């Protein structure tokens, strides 16, 4: 029998939660208002990952960016100059993702999954020490969630092969490609926040 790696030994179901961020129509569905390149394919991989981790006893938490119609968007969303994102059909989890009855869904109104939500209460109640993080976008909602998780003294492990980015445009010109943005965000995470890992390192 293969011996568990130090990483696999640390990330036990009793102390580790899997947090999947913003795998919803507006970011995932091809042609959607904020569609991330390759996100539909990513959603299939993520659903498979969630199934595997669930079968091993890990708690799965899905996070949605959901803003009620009467509530103004935050400044980061307002800068995008788009309407009706984070609402209605746009905020629903993409069809390739199949949450289980035992999964938890957390709705947020700003980029971080912690800000103004009950996520920290959930994690503390579950005696969570480590958080495995995937989702979109690496440079915004994933990154801001990582900062807030570390500020709360959780250990974070970000999946490089289960995260993705949008490109950065200014005045119609591409300043950084989606891959550039993704890589830079992962570098920031690895530098000062936590570990960047892959599904293979988890033995999956």
């Amino acid at each position: 029998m293969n011996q568990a790696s130090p990483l696999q030994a640390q990330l036990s179901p009793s102390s580790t939660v899997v947090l999947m961020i913003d795998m919803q129509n507006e970011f995932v569905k091809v042609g959607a208002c904020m569609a991330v390149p390759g996100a539909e394919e990513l959603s299939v991989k993520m659903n498979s990952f969630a199934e595997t981790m669930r079968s091993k006893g890990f708690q799965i938490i899905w996070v949605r960016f959901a803003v009620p119609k009467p509530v103004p968007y935050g400044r980061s969303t307002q800068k995008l100059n788009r309407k009706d994102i984070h609402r209605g059909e746009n905020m629903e989890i993409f069809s390739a993702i199949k949450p289980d009855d035992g999964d938890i869904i957390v709705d947020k109104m700003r980029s971080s999954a912690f800000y103004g939500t009950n996520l920290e209460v959930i994690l503390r109640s579950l005696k969570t020490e480590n958080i495995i993080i995937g989702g979109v976008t690496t440079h915004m909602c994933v990154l801001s969630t990582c900062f807030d998780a570390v500020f709360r003294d959780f250990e974070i492990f970000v999946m490089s092969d289960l995260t993705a980015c949008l490109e950065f445009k200014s005045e119609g010109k591409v300043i950084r490609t989606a891959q550039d943005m993704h890589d830079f965000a992962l570098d920031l995470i690895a530098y000062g926040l936590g570990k960047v890992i892959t599904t293979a390192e988890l033995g999956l």
Side-chain angles (χ1 to χ4, degrees), residues 73-186:
Y73 293 129
R75 293 190 184 279
S76 62
T77 297
Q78 288 170 347
K79 285 184 67 176
L80 300 174
N81 196 29
R82 294 177 182 271
K83 295 181 179 180
D84 292 326
I85 59 175
H86 316 330
R87 293 172 176 160
E89 185 66 21
N90 283 325
M91 76 178 193
E92 298 300 331
I93 293 174
F94 184 63
S95 58
I97 302 291
K98 309 294 183 185
D100 185 78
D101 288 342
D103 294 356
I104 298 170
I105 296 177
V106 172
D107 285 345
K108 63 186 174 74
M109 292 197 293
R110 297 295 184 262
S111 296
S112 170
F114 284 92
Y115 186 80
T117 74
N118 60 354
L119 178 59
E120 184 174 4
V121 173
I122 292 169
L123 296 174
R124 300 294 183 199
S125 298
L126 295 171
K127 296 181 170 52
T128 304
E129 298 175 8
N130 312 301
I131 309 174
I132 298 172
I133 300 174
V136 296
T137 57
T138 326
H139 66 302
M140 284 293 294
C141 294
V142 171
L143 183 59
S144 61
T145 297
C146 288
F147 273 107
D148 273 354
V150 172
F151 294 160
R152 289 162 173 79
D153 292 327
F154 293 106
E155 294 279 350
I156 62 165
F157 301 80
V158 177
M159 310 296 297
S160 62
D161 52 346
L162 290 180
T163 45
C165 262
L166 289 162
E167 65 187 7
F168 172 39
K169 282 185 174 181
S170 179
E171 297 180 354
K173 180 181 178 181
V174 176
I175 306 300
R176 293 184 187 272
T177 67
Q179 190 63 49
D180 286 341
M181 296 293 286
H182 177 66
D183 292 342
F184 182 61
L186 292 177

